[in-house]
Amino acid sequence: MTTTPYRPSTVESQRPLLELEDPAPVEARRALVPLAEAAGLQGTEADDLRSAVSEVVTNAVMYGEAPVRVTGWASPGQVVVTVSDCGRGPSETELGQAPLDREAGQGGLGLWMARQLCRELVMGTHDGGFTVRLVVAADSAR
Amino acid sequence: MALDDYLWIEVEADGTSSTVAVRGELDAGSAPHLGEAIAQAASTGAPIHLDLNEVGFIDSSGLRVVAEAVRLAKEDGRALQVTAMSDAVRRVFEVSGLVRQLPS
């Protein structure tokens, strides 16, 4: 498991626009639409948000421990989403640092994809489990 | 939650080739169905045309299914071509690097 402690960002103390418990990935993707709209993310930016969050939610559902909580905040040009579960996080070798065509196993591709699509992706463990935070920003806000 | 447009797959064989047309979203829940449809089409031995033009979303699970189908076709000496893909699919294929593995 990863032993990096999770450090919440200041935005996480604000009231969220999105809160889901144990969503299927397809439900999480659909729930992101108003969040992207509130932030003014369009086209590829909104698609990238959808892809990145979907990958992380899929990992949490498949490899984490329920309940999985998805929480989202929107500000002009930027969306922050946290995906938490009650597990202990992936092992060091599953941390999504590797590209698709590596030989050993298939794990980690989703997280690797999510990293490519986000402005920021951080993760860590805490008392209640494991959290991934994703930040997707409009080009003008990068 | 109504998910009527989650996934729809149509397989059409005209004697010389099979077209697998997909509409909807390919993720960990739905991608295995595409794998089955491609395997079924492959069993005839005819060349396969995979049409992803109406796929609005694909994730790493969907990519793996397509990559595996391409690998198996190559191994068996069969033709499998992705004849069309939506912008959303193309973006994910490009980001993943898988676009380089597709037969041109």
Side-chain angles (χ1 to χ4, degrees), chain A residues 29-30 48 50 55 106, chain B residues 25 27 56 60 64 91:
Chain A
R29 292 198 294 274
R30 287 171 196 206
D48 288 355
R50 183 176 64 151
E55 296 289 359
Q106 291 279 329
Chain B
E25 302 179 39
D27 65 6
S60 57
R64 283 199 192 105
R91 166 86 177 149

Side-chain angles (χ1 to χ4, degrees), chain B residues 1 13 16 22 24 34-35 39 42-43 45 63 69-70 81 88:
Chain B
M1 170 171 257
T16 57
V22 190
L34 174 60
S43 66
L63 287 181
V70 168
Q81 224 175 358

Side-chain angles (χ1 to χ4, degrees), chain B residues 33-73:
Chain B
H33 297 296
L34 174 60
E36 288 162 19
I38 294 175
Q40 198 187 340
S43 66
T44 67
I48 295 175
H49 297 155
L50 183 56
D51 181 350
L52 303 178
N53 200 40
E54 299 295 322
V55 175
F57 177 83
I58 187 168
D59 76 349
S60 57
S61 312
L63 287 181
R64 283 199 192 105
V65 166
V66 176
E68 180 66 3
V70 168
R71 190 188 69 77
L72 282 174

Side-chain angles (χ1 to χ4, degrees), chain B residues 5 20 23 33 38 49 62 68 80 85 95 99 101 103:
Chain B
D5 51 351
V20 179
R23 187 174 73 207
H33 297 296
I38 294 175
H49 297 155
E68 180 66 3
L80 187 152
M85 60 172 84
V95 169
V99 74
Q101 294 180 26

Side-chain angles (χ1 to χ4, degrees), chain A residues 48-131:
Chain A
D48 288 355
L49 171 71
R50 183 176 64 151
S51 290
V53 172
S54 185
E55 296 289 359
V56 173
V57 170
T58 300
N59 281 345
V61 170
M62 291 178 75
Y63 307 116
E65 285 177 34
V68 173
R69 289 198 171 83
V70 179
T71 313
W73 298 261
S75 58
Q78 182 171 290
V79 168
V80 177
V81 174
T82 59
V83 180
S84 300
D85 71 77
C86 296
R88 299 161 77 185
S91 69
E92 296 295 335
T93 54
E94 296 166 342
L95 281 173
Q97 310 285 0
L100 174 69
D101 51 7
R102 68 174 176 161
E103 293 296 321
Q106 291 279 329
L109 172 61
L111 196 51
W112 182 86
M113 291 279 298
R115 276 186 196 283
Q116 312 311 306
L117 298 168
C118 284
R119 179 183 181 186
E120 182 190 321
L121 188 151
V122 297
M123 62 183 79
T125 52
H126 46 84
D127 274 354
F130 174 73
T131 293

